[in-house]
Amino acid sequence: MNRTTVSVLAYEGMSVFETGIVTEVFGLPRPEFDVPWYELTVCAETPGVVRLVGGATLHTGHGLDAFAAAGTLIVPGVADVHADPTPALTGALRAAHRRGARIVSICSGAFALAGAGLLDGRRATTHWRYADLLARRHPTVRVDPDVLYVDDGDILTSAGSAAGLDLCVHLVRRDHGPTIANAVARRLVVPPHREGGQAQFIEAPVPGDPEDDRLAASMSWALANLHTPITVDRLARQAHMSARTYLRHFARATGTTPIRWLIDRRVQASLPLLETTTAPVEEVATTVGFETAVTFRHHFTAAMRTSPSAYRRAFTRPGVRRSQDPAAPSGTT
């Protein structure tokens, strides 16, 4: 089964965001990668004009036959979560699944897969707003409302729109490995890897706090001084707080600790240096504030699922001159 042929289903009244995600990841050529890239086809149940949100239209000459013929089928949503998929769409999904294709849904697209019976007895997810409805309408589906995406091998489902981007990058990682997936994520300006089990964001009121400004100021200072030793005590002094108060406010504002945040920022600051310079890894490590190259490699591999050298190779192209000296990391990473 050639999983690099990808089809995505357009439908009446759809938002272009989810289809845009699929197009961005699988439809754009990637000549910088020495691997066969994907071939994307946009399809509709009935070939022709598809009306989109906002009065725009999309025209495709490809119908359900082309949709079902791909190695990876993506349903980016449904027009009505209370309606069953049409018999034609159900038949196309089932035929593709029997043939061994990989079936993917984004957001409410899980309702189409469930309506076709493809999620029976399986763990799946959808946008948290629709999770209870999916469980009620399809009680044989093990709905998990708390994750970004579920990879069940030949069938994958994601939560709300942005989680669909995580799932698409995850598919690249499955097909081509972490180095290429990280490079794609970097071009998309998204986190290189978010585990499927990470919790969905559910909107909740956050009270304002005048101390948040001081916290933000300390974080800005840290970003401008990543190359220097930074401790919790030093951050707390920048915020004019005690260390205990600082830790409490930091955790509430970011959901992590100052040290974990610093490590992540330093890894992110190293990416443009690896991409655009030939400086040794040891020098890159020092520039972004890691004490040793060993420590840098450890944290980089944990965050990026690949080594600094392997990541750099993804950006090495013949004829492109790269700087010898890394510039000090700026406050924006």
Side-chain angles (χ1 to χ4, degrees), residues 73-196:
L73 285 67
I74 302 179
V75 182
V78 295
D80 184 356
V81 294
H82 299 280
D84 292 328
T86 65
L89 177 56
T90 296
L93 289 169
R94 289 174 176 171
H97 185 245
R98 284 195 300 269
R99 192 171 46 82
R102 181 167 59 186
I103 315 292
V104 180
S105 69
I106 297 173
C107 196
S108 62
F111 285 84
L113 274 59
L118 301 186
L119 300 182
D120 289 352
R122 291 180 182 252
R123 180 169 163 261
T125 194
T126 186
H127 193 292
W128 59 267
R129 291 180 59 194
Y130 304 133
D132 287 345
L133 178 61
L134 182 63
R136 289 197 305 271
R137 292 198 61 213
H138 302 281
T140 60
V141 180
R142 296 186 288 120
V143 179
D144 188 340
D146 298 323
V147 297
L148 293 176
Y149 56 84
V150 173
D151 181 343
D152 198 29
D154 57 341
I155 294 183
L156 302 92
T157 54
S158 86
S161 304
L165 185 52
D166 292 302
L167 179 53
C168 288
V169 174
H170 171 73
L171 288 171
V172 175
R173 180 174 286 100
R174 270 184 46 171
D175 294 341
H176 298 296
T179 299
I180 288 178
N182 290 339
V184 170
R186 177 72 174 161
R187 282 161 172 73
L188 295 172
V189 198
V190 297
H193 182 64
R194 293 204 294 172
E195 294 286 355

Side-chain angles (χ1 to χ4, degrees), residues 286-317:
T286 302
T287 301
V288 299
F290 287 103
E291 292 185 358
T292 68
V294 172
T295 303
F296 172 50
R297 289 188 180 97
H298 169 77
H299 290 300
F300 190 97
T301 302
M304 303 293 290
R305 303 302 196 272
T306 190
S307 69
S309 297
Y311 181 85
R312 169 173 273 166
R313 283 194 293 273
F315 290 87
T316 302
R317 289 181 245 170

Side-chain angles (χ1 to χ4, degrees), residues 226-248:
L226 284 177
H227 58 289
T228 67
I230 300 175
T231 64
V232 172
D233 286 340
R234 194 171 183 187
L235 288 168
R237 286 197 299 272
Q238 288 291 325
H240 305 289
M241 299 179 189
S242 69
R244 177 186 292 184
T245 300
Y246 187 84
L247 285 168
R248 184 173 68 251

